[in-house]
Amino acid sequence: MKQIECPLCGPATGETVLEITRPDRFERAAGIPLKDYHREWIACAGCGLLIDCYDRKDISYIYNDQYYSAEIEKESVPERFSRILALPPKTSDNHYRVKRILGFLTDFYSTYSHVIPTDLNKRILDIGSGTGIFLYRFLENAPDWNASAVEPNHYACEHLRALKKFKVIENYFSASVVEESQELITLNKVLEHIQDPVDLLRNVKDCLSDYGLIYVEVPDKKTARYRKSDDNILGSLHFYLFEPATLCLLFKKSQLVPLAVQRYVEPSGKITVCGFAVAEGFFRQLCGS
């Protein structure tokens, strides 16, 4: 057993699940050498969270300068957007993501129609929007929503603005960059990149409207068992891999109440956990209805 620091348990112990012996493409772009490279994914004995325990050099600037660069990705952001947009629905992760979210919203608003007003502002904020394909598809299916995208990468933001479909905030997320409360905040494959996901979610919670929901999607820890060790999900820019129980625990630590959490395999083959949550005050209101 090894000593680790878990964002959900604090100081803890854990066992190594997977060892990585080669730098990934982002580390190579940052000049990190192959010699003596070693990185371990360790499962927390307390909660089961899979943690990338690595004395990493700070390559966070990659998010700003190179994360979506054509040199690393072998295609520009617009090219990547067009390629993903052209995927048939049955092979598109985003098709099912939008379907899942809108289906949940429909059922949720119907079930609690006596609590939730019909004249909601319907504002959605997507944090870490990347190519914007999710928001683009969401608005195709829900054109009555007003959307905003938060994205720190300049290449991606140039592309997002060119779409002219939603407001673009070129920045890392903080509550201060969001001007209006939101009915829905989405984080698709974002929290695994954040060293303190509890702190981030608590700040996200502060941007919700009185009737707001949070949707989170994160990679599943089964990725370490069923996918190759050079899978991007197991790369150096990812701190954590989850399972339904640890996503629920993350919600609770962030003063949120999970409403639905599930594990599934996406058309791309990614193993994913997703969940919906609300602020504790809104949940009490729902329980009292």
Side-chain angles (χ1 to χ4, degrees):
M1 300 289 281
K2 298 186 177 182
Q3 296 295 317
I4 58 173
E5 187 69 28
C6 174
L8 304 181
C9 298
T13 59
E15 292 187 353
T16 300
V17 171
L18 179 67
E19 296 182 73
I20 307 291
T21 58
R22 297 180 63 86
D24 64 20
R25 66 188 191 278
F26 298 111
E27 291 174 302
R28 293 194 298 271
I32 294 178
L34 172 62
K35 184 179 179 181
D36 300 326
Y37 182 90
H38 186 258
R39 183 159 55 87
E40 294 180 87
W41 284 94
I42 297 178
C44 175
C47 67
L49 184 70
L50 198 56
I51 303 171
D52 186 356
C53 294
Y54 174 46
D55 186 16
R56 53 171 44 83
K57 295 182 179 179
D58 183 11
I59 58 172
S60 60
Y61 69 89
I62 289 284
Y63 291 118
N64 289 21
D65 298 338
Q66 295 177 288
Y67 192 71
Y68 288 106
S69 70
E71 290 79 11
I72 293 180
E73 293 299 306
K74 309 304 180 186
E75 60 183 350
S76 68
V77 180
E79 288 171 341
R80 184 175 181 179
F81 175 86
S82 297
R83 175 176 58 80
I84 297 173
L85 190 67
L87 291 173
K90 67 178 181 180
T91 64
S92 169
D93 294 352
N94 280 285
H95 169 78
Y96 290 100
R97 179 175 294 125
V98 170
K99 184 177 180 180
R100 179 165 53 250
I101 292 172
L102 289 178
F104 183 91
L105 290 177
T106 298
D107 291 344
F108 183 74
Y109 290 155
S110 175
T111 300
Y112 296 103
S113 60
H114 55 296
V115 175
I116 302 170
T118 57
D119 59 345
L120 287 176
N121 288 312
K122 291 190 174 180
R123 286 189 286 257
I124 175 175
L125 177 74
D126 185 50
I127 298 172
S129 293
T131 64
I133 192 74
F134 163 69
L135 273 187
Y136 189 92
R137 287 298 195 200
F138 183 93
L139 292 175
E140 278 187 335
N141 290 272
D144 55 333
W145 282 72
N146 295 307
S148 298
V150 177
E151 170 58 47
N153 184 272
H154 181 66
Y155 294 109
C157 285
E158 284 186 334
H159 159 72
L160 294 174
R161 292 188 188 98
L163 294 176
K164 298 181 179 179
K165 292 289 186 179
F166 38 77
K167 179 181 178 181
V168 179
I169 303 169
E170 185 172 343
N171 212 328
Y172 287 94
F173 170 80
S174 69
S176 63
V177 305
V178 182
E179 296 178 351
E180 299 173 300
S181 61
Q182 306 290 317
E183 276 64 54
L184 176 63
I185 300 178
T186 54
L187 300 98
N188 297 308
K189 304 299 196 307
V190 170
L191 289 178
E192 69 274 16
H193 293 269
I194 306 300
Q195 193 162 14
D196 190 346
V198 173
D199 181 68
L200 180 70
L201 273 186
R202 285 180 177 175
N203 279 280
V204 169
K205 174 179 63 69
D206 291 340
C207 297
L208 290 172
S209 74
D210 292 340
Y211 306 99
L213 291 132
I214 290 177
Y215 174 80
V216 167
E217 203 173 282
V218 286
D220 194 290
K221 64 186 291 185
K222 289 183 179 289
T223 302
R225 179 179 178 184
Y226 292 107
R227 303 277 287 183
K228 294 181 179 179
S229 61
D230 62 354
D231 190 301
N232 182 55
I233 298 299
L234 299 168
S236 62
L237 293 177
H238 295 156
F239 287 96
Y240 311 110
L241 300 179
F242 295 80
E243 60 187 336
T246 46
L247 181 55
C248 283
L249 183 57
L250 174 60
F251 281 143
K252 292 174 183 177
K253 291 277 186 179
S254 307
Q255 300 169 346
L256 294 161
V257 180
L259 299 179
V261 175
Q262 69 178 105
R263 164 187 281 145
Y264 62 98
V265 179
E266 301 185 70
S268 64
K270 296 175 184 175
I271 311 169
T272 295
V273 178
C274 75
F276 295 87
V278 295
E280 293 172 345
F282 183 25
F283 184 73
R284 288 192 292 269
Q285 189 176 355
L286 296 174
C287 291
S289 61

